[in-house]
Amino acid sequence: MNDGMDELYRDIILDHYRNPRNSGSIEGDSVIIIEEFNPLCGDKIIVYLHSLSGELIDDIKFIGEGCSISQSSASIMTDLVIGKKIEHAKQIVQQFHTFITGGNIDEDDNSLGDIDAFKGVRKFPARIKCAGLAWNSLDKAIDSMKKLT
Amino acid sequence: MSLESKKLLDRTTQIRSDFPILDRKINGKRLAYLDNAASSQKPMQVISKINDLYSNYYANVHRGVHSLSMESTEAYESVREKVAKFINAGNINEIIFTKGTTDSINLFAQSWAKNNLKKGDRIVLSEIEHHANLVPWFMLRDEIGIELAFIPVLDDYTLDIEAAKKIINSNTRLVSISHISNSLGTIVPIKDIIDLAHHNNAIVLIDGAQSIPHQNMNVIDLDIDVLVFSAHKMLGPTGVGILWAKMDILKQCEPVIGGGDMISKVTFDGALWNDIPFRFEAGTPNIAGVIGFGEAIDYLNEINYIDLCNQSHVISEYTRNLLEEMEFVEILGPKDKLLRTSLFSFDIKNIHPHDVAQILDSEGVAVRAGHHCAQPTLNKFGFSSTVRASFYFYNNFEDANQLIESLQIVKKRFLQ
Ligand SMILES: Cc1ncc(COP(=O)(O)O)c(C=O)c1O
């Protein structure tokens, strides 16, 4: 049966949904906190971004509430950018958006990790917003950090 | 099964053939359309009516003396009469065409409330309102300083009428509540609330968006002051709604939108308002929408929609009972059968409503997932979203069973 469900709900997505990585909050004055909603369904992601130097993502966590797509995406996102350079993370965000809206990315690029798990989402326009929620938060967090430094 | 209900079932089969969309395949499966509270599907009769208008007698209304304009004006205006009869309004000039329930409430807030209420006056709402009956009042509160108070919803999903007796006080000028909650399915005892309001010299606006498609509404018997509803939830086109109010109240309303059609005379110094209802309907209206809505009303009357809706309520209850037996499902809404309509919200533990609705869709079942434009209501019960199945008279037991079977597939994918 090919109704896209196996592709949408890949094992890796369900795994991140059930066992989210980097879930929780980070305390501290220098932590950037960005909250994103999907007004359509009330899904919510709060991203906590910590960078001492302003160059490296020292730590990133999230708290969220929502569907398997939005929550697994947050988990995969944090896993992917933790320890990376801010500029690199910004590029990954862009790559993610290119990918999710149907564009091509370099699938051999190891730093894009599990992004291709979201391939199945591309067929379901209503769910692209879910997948993008955490990435939008990260994008905004990076921008507001740049403003500070 | 009694002969009576057998007959009704046969009738449903016959009725379904009037709705072309019900033959559609969704992802290769038969369509079980259970999102009727969001919007109903349209019968051939309504679709053809609009086609007929544009093919044979379309022109702008209330304008020319030419034949087409007269014919379309007559068709358009005849709908006012049909709507008046449908809700048993005494005067057809009390029927105002709007864009929908949301538009009607906003219009009433800006045209009546803004001009007749003052700082400190109270408007009473409830905790089970659609955003359409919350946000316009928040905006007015911020504009003119009225006070808003809410009739609480109890743990059993019904309104706290005892509390309402205190909340509706002598400062209260308007009570604005929905007849049926679109998120919980609760039927509100509007007669009790109308009595309480009138006892305090307050008027009552009833949001009938969810009730009028299913039941007889008699504004005179119930002594309703203002009634609002949408055509698209009762077989009509989108972009058409009704604001009905007693003539005395309409006379206290100021127009909100100025322009053509709403004036009787314009000079470079100013304008005189046209008569009621036209002064509230500026600009070229939704001619095709209104005429299509007239056909929807004729259709509802012809098929005797109330009997059929009673039948679909039986199907809704049947489905609800089966869901109740599924240990992984939690259903929201009143326990008392008499207090709930043909819709229910539910939650599946550890599976988000979005995911439930997605997998149901892959099985051909259309349901709504989300907050149903009633965020504060769902939040009060600890949910940010739910799945909602809502029935209309063309739904049958096959639709019900398809939902139940598909929920097992949801469970398999996520819980095993
Ligand atoms: C109770 C209730 N009120 C108001 C509305 C808003 O209706 P519309 O979107 O047609 O303006 C709805 C529709 O969902 C509703 O269910």
Side-chain angles (χ1 to χ4, degrees), chain B residues 8-32:
Chain B
L8 270 169
L9 273 186
D10 291 346
R11 187 104 174 80
T12 307
T13 310
Q14 189 192 336
I15 291 289
R16 285 176 69 84
S17 65
D18 288 337
F19 291 77
I21 211 170
L22 297 181
D23 287 335
R24 240 205 85 165
K25 291 273 179 291
I26 301 291
N27 297 311
K29 309 280 164 53
R30 92 180 263 285
L31 165 65

Side-chain angles (χ1 to χ4, degrees), chain B residues 360-411:
Chain B
L360 291 182
D361 178 68
S362 74
E363 298 298 320
V365 180
V367 294
R368 176 90 178 261
H371 54 55
H372 321 298
C373 296
Q375 252 176 333
T377 310
L378 287 190
N379 289 345
K380 172 135 188 177
F381 290 101
F383 294 96
S384 60
S385 69
T386 62
V387 186
R388 181 185 70 189
S390 53
F391 295 74
Y392 209 16
F393 56 75
Y394 41 67
N395 287 122
N396 55 18
F397 283 104
E398 246 176 303
D399 295 331
N401 293 332
Q402 195 173 334
L403 170 64
I404 300 297
E405 283 156 23
S406 304
L407 282 173
Q408 295 294 352
I409 294 173
V410 172
K411 182 185 173 201

